[in-house]
């Protein structure tokens, strides 16, 4: 009987660990590089809903920041681009844009820049936008669309 209880207990623990691994597993981070003239993205354009890692490399000297935003249904990345007369031009956040949640961030100064490693909660199935932002002077680059799909 004791052997049966131990086997069942081990089986339950194994199942719990296996079931949680998929949700908490962080795949290769998406890399976003900002040089002060543009913002580029290396990584997938589609992710399953959940928590995802990003690496933001700021080579600009402008104290750039990474933002992820969700778009209201019916709006697209192109709608962001249409709001600017040129890349980098700042304009206020439209009412159809919603900030995604940054769960954690670690920053490290490097030679000539900064590297931020962050985890974002992207649990809303929708089109999102990856963007680079500078607070002073106010500047804004829309780097790439990101599609969040169901798990």
């Amino acid at each position: 009987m004791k052997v049966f209880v131990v086997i069942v207990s081990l089986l339950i623990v194994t199942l719990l660990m296996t079931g949680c691994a998929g949700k908490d597993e962080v795949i290769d981070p998406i890399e976003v590089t900002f040089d002060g003239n543009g913002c580029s993205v290396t990584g997938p354009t589609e992710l399953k809903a959940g928590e995802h890692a990003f690496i933001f490399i700021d080579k600009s000297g402008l104290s750039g920041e990474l933002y992820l935003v969700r778009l209201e249904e019916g709006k697209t990345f192109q709608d962001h681009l249409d709001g600017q007369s040129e890349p980098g031009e700042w304009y206020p956040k439209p009412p159809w844009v919603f900030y995604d949640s940054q769960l954690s961030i670690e920053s490290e100064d490097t030679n000539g820049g900064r590297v931020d490693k962050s985890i974002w909660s992207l649990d809303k199935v929708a089109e999102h936008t990856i963007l680079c932002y500078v607070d002073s002077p106010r500047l804004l680059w829309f780097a790439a669309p990101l599609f969040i799909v169901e798990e």
Side-chain angles (χ1 to χ4, degrees):
M1 182 67 164
K2 288 181 183 180
V3 172
F4 177 75
V5 171
V6 170
I7 291 172
V8 169
S9 297
L10 287 173
L11 182 60
I12 290 172
V13 169
T14 302
L15 288 173
L16 287 173
M17 289 175 53
T18 304
C20 294
K23 185 167 185 164
D24 295 334
E25 181 180 308
V26 176
I27 57 173
D28 291 335
I30 293 177
E31 189 172 290
V32 181
T33 303
F34 177 57
D35 66 7
N37 294 310
C39 190
S40 61
V41 177
T42 303
T45 58
E46 185 177 288
L47 296 171
K48 291 182 179 179
E51 295 177 6
H52 295 281
F54 286 78
I55 296 177
F56 179 66
I57 302 167
D58 183 4
K59 299 177 179 181
S60 71
L62 297 172
S63 297
E65 298 177 43
L66 170 69
Y67 279 92
L68 302 172
V69 295
R70 177 179 51 88
L71 308 182
E72 184 176 274
E73 188 174 338
K75 295 295 185 178
T76 67
F77 181 74
Q78 186 62 48
D79 291 314
H80 273 306
L81 298 178
D82 292 346
Q84 289 182 313
S85 60
E86 64 182 38
E89 177 186 57
W90 182 86
Y91 71 90
K93 181 181 84 56
W96 42 268
V97 171
F98 307 92
Y99 291 110
D100 286 310
S101 298
Q102 184 181 60
L103 302 176
S104 67
I105 186 168
E106 294 177 14
S107 296
E108 179 182 328
D109 289 328
T110 61
N111 290 339
R114 186 185 82 247
V115 175
D116 295 338
K117 297 174 184 173
S118 56
I119 303 292
W120 292 77
S121 176
L122 301 173
D123 57 352
K124 303 282 187 198
V125 173
E127 183 172 343
H128 297 244
T129 296
I130 301 169
L131 59 93
C132 296
Y133 170 75
V134 174
D135 186 48
S136 182
R138 283 196 165 171
L139 302 169
L140 185 62
W141 283 266
F142 300 108
L146 180 63
F147 298 91
I148 302 301
V149 298
E150 291 190 39
E151 290 185 50

